Amino acid sequence: MSKSRSKRLGFWLVILALGVGMEALGQFEIIDGYVMQVIELIGINIILVASLNLINGFLGEFAIGHAGFMALGAYISAIGTVKFHLPFVVALLVGGLLTAGVAYLIGIPAFKTFGDYLAVITLGFNMIIVNLLNNIEYVGGPRGMVGLPKSTNFLWVFATTILTLVILRNLVYSNYGRVWIAIRENVIAAEMMGINVNRAKLKAFAIAGFFAGLAGALWGHMLQYINPSSFTYLKSTDMLVMLYLGGLGSLTGSVLGATLMTGLLEVLRDFGVWRMVISPLILLIIMLTRPLGLLGNREPRFVVPKEPKAAEEVSHNVPAAR
Amino acid sequence: MSYFIQQLLNALQLGSIYALIALGYTMVYGVLGLINFAHGDIFMAGAFFGFFIAVMLKLSLIPTLLLAMFLAAVLGIAIERVAYRPLRKAPRMSLIITALGVSLFLENFTRATLGGQQRSFPKLLNVQEFALGGATVTNLQILIIVVSLVLMLLLRYVVQKTMIGKAMRAVSDNKEVLALMGISLDTVVMATFGIGSALAATAGILVGMAYPVIDPYMGIAVGWKAFIAAVLGGIGLIDGALVGGLILGFVEIFAAALLPSTYRDGIAFAILIIVLLLKPTGLLGRPVVKKV
Amino acid sequence: MSLLHAEHCSMHFKGLKAVQDFTLDLEEGELVGLIGPNGAGKTTVFNMLTGVYVPTEGKIFFQGQEITKAKAWQINQGGIARTFQNIRLFGDMTVLDNIRVALSFRIRYKMLDAVLRWSQYQKEETRVIEESMELLRLFHLDGKQHFLAKNLPYGEQRRLEIARALATKPKLLLLDEPAAGMNNKESEELMQLIRWIREHFNLTILLIEHHMPVVMGICERIKVLDFGQTIAEGTPLEIQSNKRVIEAYLGEEVED
């Protein structure tokens, strides 16, 4: 077995051991419920940050209203379980898919602009979604929805997180991802290479929306209670902090950023409001010292999928130029 | 009819506040191309400066205003110096995220040190009511409108006629002219942040007097509205800030008369999105040509 | 029927007339030069032909089909590719990936194939890598396929850009100042390369170039623009002795 292959296998064994081990520790109550919830929160944040990375890191656009999609996923799935008594897995998928649909629809007008304006539009949609949720009595208005079943547990979060990361990774390292990165690198050249830039962006946006919706659904069914004020631009900013801490264009960075930041915020819980001072301060320090984040555009070798093995020598009977 | 005039006055008052703050967004955008997310919080800081000057130093309106403007200018310049200047050559996203970070820091730092409760703003003016065509108008309302208009005219004069104002315009058009004028970019940026912050502080004190409560998070909603106003008029354009501010003020007041007030913020953002889609450069802006 | 037919095309920006009444016919297999002093509107012509701008007036046909208002990506898929005056590679992508992006609209696998790495994905990616490597080999860029494009030396970046344009399998190739920044030896090599790719890929080529030896050396026909207007058209020999052309260029040199 080659060295890189055994490293890959080792990596997956560690992941598996992590999942099984955590679950066992939780089952035997060696880790208490509170810590378990923090661990679940880390997983949910990883899904959010990795999906945001698709837009901001790989596609190179600037979306700052991700909490809006999270809200949609949380509310749609909650309507599913509370009002229609759907099984959790169905509600989860419906939440993700409908959020993807909304993201796609929002993307159609939003991608007519780019840069700062896109940032403003995405944040605007974030605020409008929260504003609407506040005004719709069916979902409880400002009080939100209560009595969600406690369906989210460690295994659900763990499996969804790993699946999200693998799916995103396989997409990023495929024709889809190459097209996204090409758009980031030079949009005019990309369009001149026969790429329907708008359609590619919409795909990325819908995918990011899908996973943000899943994360929202998991989150709602973890806390069993959701209200509009949890999904304001402050939540979006939290995700941006994690994203930029970990680094743009790196899924490993997203995992790192979400884990470090979530953990840090928990550790700082005793500091009360100062916790909310420290987190932007950390963001500022990162930006000023490492503008690209901890792992900007870098991915460890063993998580990069292998290319298909192409024939080394291709016969060609044309003389080379010159 | 009197109801209409009443609403018109309210709209004018709200619009001039938005315009005052929008100027800061638009000036910084014109010079650095940065959406200074922290600007709304400088507005908040200005209100708090005014609060403490009035309460602790017991100064009257004009000295309070002037001192708060000065302090806010110092704060704005300090923020630029510490957080934005090192990133001037970094990717723009890093800069905008930094601005977002500064904004959160200012809000939460204020809350952590001063508490999150609302404080009632001291009475700096003896409010008197007048009758005007069936509507009532207060001297405070007139003060707000007049002060805003005077400051805007003053700024217009500065930008059109003075050396530093010409330099500000030069930065957005042609950086080389700046060197010819013998003014460094840093000076221009400092002046921009200083003036913009002073205007925001004025708005902060006027809002404090009008509502009359202030709190650490008061800058979020108002800041966003002002930013929308700037985009609406055409970001980077001084006149655009005035036009955008007034339009937004009118739309909000009259929309609130027709719809439940909880929809107010949503409507403001809906307007923003519609404008960005139809005319991304704003009502007074010119279209940009992409270069290949 | 000519391959490309542009009639009476004009491009105006806010009162500035960048190109006026531009008409062009390209026959299959031709190699035509587009020259003129700086700011004459040459790149604007390219931008109109490739869908970056929609002409203010006029119509453009490619293989008999109207493409005046088509999007850049549609025009490229239809068979027109170009390079850029200021090189526009995907800098943070590898040399191989730059080519693979150009092949992307021909890649036939679905999102699910990519996520699950099914055989369709494997098959298509293998084909695409082979095709890309062959192209890189022709341009002497094999062995550098894992370099980031931004780390290539200047001359190789130019070559990669041409290779990338060719990967989209165009019938018409537009080259915007391919010899810019090259010395005499390099531009001599470039001329041979252009001649050779025309033969090998059965191309029609329209070329913007400032470097006169290159233009005169390889073009069969030359069109001269000045201040957005066509001031001359003809064989290299005719152009060299055309009075208006000489004046236009002299005017530029005096300004310098």
Side-chain angles (χ1 to χ4, degrees):
Chain A
M1 209 193 296
S2 75
K3 200 173 170 194
S4 85
R5 227 176 119 197
S6 60
K7 220 172 169 182
R8 267 165 216 278
L9 194 66
F11 173 72
W12 282 110
L13 285 174
V14 169
I15 297 286
L16 191 69
L18 201 70
V20 174
M22 285 286 186
E23 175 65 15
L25 290 176
Q27 286 296 333
F28 294 112
E29 287 172 16
I30 298 167
I31 298 180
D32 67 29
Y34 171 72
V35 176
M36 213 57 199
Q37 184 156 323
V38 173
I39 292 169
E40 286 167 25
L41 194 59
I42 288 176
I44 291 169
N45 283 338
I46 289 175
I47 301 173
L48 288 167
V49 177
S51 60
L52 184 60
N53 205 343
L54 198 62
I55 309 294
N56 288 25
F58 294 99
L59 186 61
E61 287 294 347
F62 192 30
I64 57 176
H66 219 46
F69 296 143
M70 185 189 177
L72 287 178
Y75 269 86
I76 293 167
S77 66
I79 291 171
T81 51
V82 175
K83 310 243 177 193
F84 294 96
H85 308 289
L86 294 176
F88 179 53
V89 61
V90 177
L92 194 69
L93 283 174
V94 170
L97 287 173
L98 286 183
T99 307
V102 174
Y104 190 90
L105 290 178
I106 289 178
I108 292 172
F111 282 125
K112 289 199 163 67
T113 64
F114 53 89
D116 305 348
Y117 289 122
L118 182 71
V120 172
I121 287 194
T122 50
L123 193 69
F125 274 113
N126 187 169
M127 301 229 183
I128 289 175
I129 288 170
V130 171
N131 194 263
L132 284 177
L133 291 175
N134 261 318
N135 281 294
I136 298 175
E137 214 25 66
Y138 181 69
V139 292
R143 295 179 320 281
M145 293 178 76
V146 290
L148 279 66
K150 173 88 184 137
S151 307
T152 302
N153 57 27
F154 172 75
L155 279 184
W156 268 110
V157 174
F158 185 77
T160 315
T161 307
I162 298 297
L163 262 175
T164 303
L165 289 171
V166 170
I167 291 173
L168 287 178
R169 178 199 74 164
N170 284 359
L171 282 176
V172 163
Y173 290 94
S174 80
N175 189 33
Y176 293 93
R178 288 196 297 267
V179 164
W180 291 327
I181 297 170
I183 291 171
R184 174 189 81 192
E185 291 293 302
N186 198 316
V187 66
I188 289 173
E191 196 154 16
M192 234 18 256
M193 298 297 124
I195 290 169
N196 185 341
V197 168
N198 218 24
R199 204 171 64 189
K201 283 181 179 177
L202 285 176
K203 272 182 198 162
F205 213 51
I207 294 168
F210 173 77
F211 287 112
L214 282 191
L218 287 172
W219 194 76
H221 290 85
M222 177 179 82
L223 295 181
Q224 296 178 271
Y225 163 77
I226 50 176
N227 70 352
S229 62
S230 317
F231 304 105
T232 60
Y233 92 109
L234 291 172
K235 190 88 187 176
S236 296
T237 315
D238 278 350
M239 294 180 213
L240 288 170
V241 174
M242 296 177 195
L243 173 64
Y244 281 79
L245 171 67
L248 286 174
S250 164
L251 291 173
T252 319
S254 296
V255 174
L256 200 66
T259 310
L260 286 177
M261 205 63 211
T262 315
L264 186 73
L265 285 180
E266 279 316 312
V267 173
L268 293 177
R269 192 167 275 278
D270 295 339
F271 289 76
V273 295
W274 282 98
R275 182 173 91 124
M276 284 147 65
V277 179
I278 294 169
S279 97
L281 210 55
I282 292 171
L283 177 70
L284 288 179
I285 294 167
I286 298 161
M287 284 291 108
L288 291 169
T289 51
R290 287 187 74 104
L292 288 178
L294 295 173
L295 282 175
N297 282 340
R298 281 179 303 162
E299 211 82 72
R301 263 281 163 75
F302 54 87
V303 299
V304 175
K306 273 217 299 252
E307 296 266 11
K309 200 126 183 88
E312 285 297 316
E313 279 305 319
V314 189
S315 68
H316 56 100
N317 45 13
V318 262
R322 282 191 279 152
Chain B
M1 189 61 202
S2 65
Y3 174 76
F4 181 76
I5 295 175
Q6 191 71 60
Q7 296 297 330
L8 207 65
L9 276 166
N10 291 343
L12 211 56
Q13 175 189 340
L14 189 64
S16 11
I17 301 273
Y18 287 155
L20 267 188
I21 309 169
L23 284 169
Y25 279 109
T26 229
M27 287 166 70
V28 169
Y29 194 89
V31 170
L32 285 184
L34 163 73
I35 300 176
N36 182 15
F37 280 115
H39 190 62
D41 304 297
I42 292 179
F43 154 83
M44 174 274 293
F48 271 89
F49 287 143
F51 174 87
F52 284 109
I53 292 163
V55 168
M56 296 167 87
L57 303 180
K58 306 249 187 290
L59 295 183
S60 63
L61 175 60
I62 303 292
T64 302
L65 198 59
L66 290 177
L67 192 51
M69 283 169 85
F70 172 76
L71 289 177
V74 171
L75 177 65
I77 291 169
I79 289 171
E80 191 276 326
R81 185 74 194 76
V82 173
Y84 300 159
R85 195 175 297 180
L87 288 170
R88 217 174 272 168
K89 290 202 173 66
R92 276 165 55 101
M93 269 196 209
S94 313
L95 195 59
I96 295 176
I97 293 290
T98 304
L100 218 49
V102 172
S103 162
L104 285 173
F105 174 78
L106 288 177
E107 285 156 19
N108 294 329
F109 183 79
T110 309
R111 184 181 154 194
T113 48
L114 302 175
Q117 76 279 22
Q118 292 195 324
R119 288 157 191 267
S120 48
F121 203 80
K123 270 201 161 66
L124 290 168
L125 189 76
N126 234 332
V127 180
Q128 290 165 336
E129 290 183 350
F130 306 95
L132 187 84
T136 40
V137 53
T138 64
N139 54 349
L140 179 60
Q141 267 183 319
I142 294 172
L143 178 85
I144 289 174
I145 297 167
V146 170
V147 167
S148 308
L149 274 177
V150 167
L151 284 176
M152 266 179 272
L153 287 174
L154 201 66
L155 178 71
R156 215 158 177 277
Y157 174 81
V158 168
V159 171
Q160 298 290 338
K161 302 286 183 214
T162 63
M163 194 68 171
I164 191 79
K166 285 176 185 165
M168 279 178 193
R169 282 185 297 152
V171 176
S172 35
D173 298 340
N174 187 347
K175 288 212 169 53
E176 280 145 32
V177 177
L178 211 60
L180 292 175
M181 296 173 78
I183 297 181
S184 77
L185 181 62
D186 288 345
T187 314
V188 178
V189 171
M190 250 178 73
T192 307
F193 273 86
I195 296 173
S197 305
L199 294 177
T202 313
I205 290 175
L206 293 177
V207 166
M209 288 164 66
Y211 283 91
V213 285
I214 59 172
D215 71 84
Y217 295 111
M218 68 190 278
I220 300 176
V222 178
W224 272 105
K225 302 287 179 56
F227 173 71
I228 293 172
V231 175
L232 191 62
I235 195 155
L237 305 169
I238 304 261
D239 295 346
L242 177 61
V243 172
L246 289 179
I247 291 180
L248 192 65
F250 279 90
V251 171
E252 266 198 31
I253 294 288
F254 285 97
L258 299 172
L259 284 165
S261 64
T262 42
Y263 280 103
R264 230 166 91 159
D265 294 358
I267 288 168
F269 274 96
I271 291 172
L272 172 76
I273 290 169
I274 292 167
V275 170
L276 282 180
L277 295 175
L278 296 180
K279 200 157 183 303
T281 47
L283 295 175
L284 303 186
R286 288 163 153 231
V288 273
V289 179
K290 59 178 164 180
K291 288 212 168 112
V292 177
Chain C
M1 185 183 68
S2 49
L3 182 71
L4 180 91
H5 171 67
E7 54 183 36
H8 309 298
C9 289
S10 299
M11 191 71 225
H12 300 174
F13 302 109
K14 295 186 221 164
L16 171 78
K17 291 172 177 163
V19 173
Q20 286 182 65
D21 199 21
F22 179 83
T23 295
L24 175 72
D25 272 287
L26 288 177
E27 300 303 325
E28 216 154 301
E30 266 193 308
L31 207 170
V32 176
L34 189 60
I35 65 169
N38 280 327
K42 300 172 304 262
T43 298
T44 307
V45 167
F46 269 28
N47 286 341
M48 288 194 295
L49 296 180
T50 55
V52 177
Y53 300 149
V54 175
T56 323
E57 284 161 33
K59 284 180 173 171
I60 303 168
F61 296 87
F62 183 67
Q63 296 183 304
Q65 273 202 323
E66 182 166 356
I67 56 162
T68 321
K69 286 180 182 158
K71 298 263 192 306
W73 60 271
Q74 293 167 324
I75 290 176
N76 174 266
Q77 292 194 358
I80 303 180
R82 73 179 279 187
T83 63
F84 298 88
Q85 190 178 346
N86 43 343
I87 304 178
R88 285 178 178 271
L89 288 170
F90 307 124
D92 261 324
M93 300 178 83
T94 63
V95 169
L96 175 66
D97 280 353
N98 266 268
I99 304 286
R100 283 205 277 183
V101 167
L103 289 164
S104 79
F105 71 88
R106 295 175 199 279
I107 293 182
R108 299 268 166 261
Y109 58 75
K110 296 264 183 302
M111 207 168 260
L112 205 60
D113 295 315
V115 167
L116 298 170
R117 307 266 138 171
W118 274 345
S119 67
Q120 180 68 9
Y121 165 85
Q122 304 287 348
K123 204 178 86 193
E124 281 289 280
E125 283 294 329
T126 309
R127 175 180 72 76
V128 166
I129 291 174
E130 283 172 1
E131 226 172 278
S132 307
M133 286 311 294
E134 178 158 354
L135 205 53
L136 289 177
R137 218 166 272 129
L138 292 176
F139 281 82
H140 293 288
L141 289 164
D142 51 326
K144 295 207 167 177
Q145 67 267 35
H146 297 305
F147 282 49
L148 291 185
K150 66 177 179 191
N151 293 338
L152 290 183
Y154 182 78
E156 290 183 347
Q157 290 198 4
R158 283 260 175 232
R159 261 189 281 153
L160 177 58
E161 215 196 7
I162 297 175
R164 189 183 62 174
L166 289 175
T168 66
K169 301 194 175 66
K171 292 203 171 59
L172 171 62
L173 178 63
L174 310 183
L175 297 172
D176 198 344
E177 295 196 34
M182 289 188 173
N183 60 29
N184 284 342
K185 183 172 164 288
E186 285 167 335
S187 48
E188 180 66 34
E189 286 169 3
L190 180 83
M191 274 165 68
Q192 287 182 21
L193 178 71
I194 293 174
R195 278 201 197 101
W196 177 83
I197 58 176
R198 173 165 71 146
E199 293 301 315
H200 184 228
F201 292 93
N202 269 328
L203 281 175
T204 308
I205 294 178
L206 181 63
L207 174 84
I208 294 177
E209 191 47 74
H210 269 302
H211 207 76
M212 279 310 140
V214 173
V215 183
M216 297 300 166
I218 59 172
C219 293
E220 288 138 8
R221 198 150 64 84
I222 294 173
K223 212 170 166 67
V224 191
L225 288 185
D226 192 23
F227 293 113
Q229 300 199 329
T230 309
I231 58 165
E233 192 171 356
T235 63
L237 222 63
E238 288 164 359
I239 294 298
Q240 272 168 320
S241 54
N242 185 305
K243 234 175 119 189
R244 284 193 68 185
V245 177
I246 296 167
E247 274 169 16
Y249 273 89
L250 279 179
E252 192 187 37
E253 268 160 44
V254 172
E255 275 167 31
D256 286 347

